[in-house]
Every structure is written in C-alpha cells, then in structure tokens.
Amino acid sequence: MSISRITVAGFALASALALAGCGSSSGGGGSHAGSQAPAAMDASTIKVSSSPLGNILTDGSGRTLYLFTADGKNTNSMQCNGACLKLWPHMEGKPHAGKGVQSSLISATKGGSKAQVTYAGHPLYYYANDHSAGDVKGQGIDKIWYVMNDKGTAIKTAAPASSSTGSGNSSGGSGGGY
C-alpha cells in the first residue's frame, strides 16, 4: 500500500516539474515579466499591411505572420516543445483573403490533428512577443524566422531597432525544440 502512495506521489512530482519546464522561458526570446499581453489574434483573414519592413502578411487584426524557413511546403516540419509553441503559436482556421492577398495561395498543412494555415506553401506562425498590431519583433530571430510579402517570399531585411526587441539567440525561449 505504501509503495502505491510513493509511486503516485513520485508521478505527481514528475508531472508538476515537467509542466513547470514547458511554461518557463528565459533568454532574450522568451516572455518578460510584466510585459503586456500579445495582440488579439483574428485568424479569419490574411491581409497585406504596411510595416517598417515594407508590405507584409498579417492577420485580420494586423498581427504579423511569420514563416519558419525549415518547414517543408505545406507541412509543419518544426519539432517544437511546449515553450516553443507558446512563443511561436500556429495560425489555425480557414481564413479568407483580405486586402492585397491572393486567395489561391492560402491553404493548410496536410495531416496532423489540427491543420495549420499556409500561404504559398509556408505554414504561418505568430510571435508571442509581438504585443501590438504591426510589431515585427520576431523578424530574423535565429536567422530562420521571417515575415513575408504578398507573393509568399521571406523578407530577410533586418527590422529597425525600434521594432525588433526579440533576441537573435536560440538559448532559452526562442529555439529549443526545433
């Protein structure tokens, strides 16, 4: 009987530690205590919006959309852990083409439990540290995360210093699981 209690207690402790590890992030790419919440997501639309990097893809609320350069065409290739998924959440749903976007380029990933929205074959992501519509703080992180233009091509121009406060390193929150 006492062995069962010890096993249950050990399992509960291991579970709590695992959950704590997924939720924490450190380093420049992670979330900061006291920072404002990310802008609301409106996955009903993909549109082109003006930014410091030129015209880029955003969602219906103006939140910047990113591509991960290692993803395969129409597939999510990223091996992402819990902290990574919080930092780079997928765009999901069935959006329509908004201003400046070609509806024929909007699709979804194949397979998996939830389809991820793609544009020109690139799965789309948000960056959790973009707190306002038009923020491009995820631009160029680890030289694998970029905004894209209306043709579905990555824009690899560096974000102006005032628009990019994300870290370029992958220690801590920005990389880890991919």
Side-chain angles (χ1 to χ4, degrees), residues 78-101:
M78 186 170 53
Q79 300 297 312
C80 199
N81 62 22
C84 173
L85 286 172
K86 285 183 180 180
L87 195 59
W88 296 101
H90 303 159
M91 181 185 209
E92 297 173 348
K94 295 185 180 195
H96 68 275
K99 180 186 101 186
V101 170

Side-chain angles (χ1 to χ4, degrees), residues 24-117:
S24 68
S25 62
S26 59
S31 59
H32 299 85
S35 64
Q36 66 191 78
M41 294 181 203
D42 175 3
S44 67
T45 305
I46 297 176
K47 64 182 183 176
V48 173
S49 297
S50 180
S51 82
L53 299 168
N55 290 331
I56 62 170
L57 294 184
T58 63
D59 71 2
S61 61
R63 188 139 183 229
T64 303
L65 297 169
Y66 295 88
L67 66 85
F68 174 61
T69 57
D71 275 337
K73 187 166 182 143
N74 291 317
T75 61
N76 176 328
S77 307
M78 186 170 53
Q79 300 297 312
C80 199
N81 62 22
C84 173
L85 286 172
K86 285 183 180 180
L87 195 59
W88 296 101
H90 303 159
M91 181 185 209
E92 297 173 348
K94 295 185 180 195
H96 68 275
K99 180 186 101 186
V101 170
Q102 299 175 48
S103 61
S104 63
L105 295 180
I106 299 173
S107 189
T109 55
K110 314 273 189 280
S113 60
K114 286 188 177 180
Q116 183 176 356
V117 177

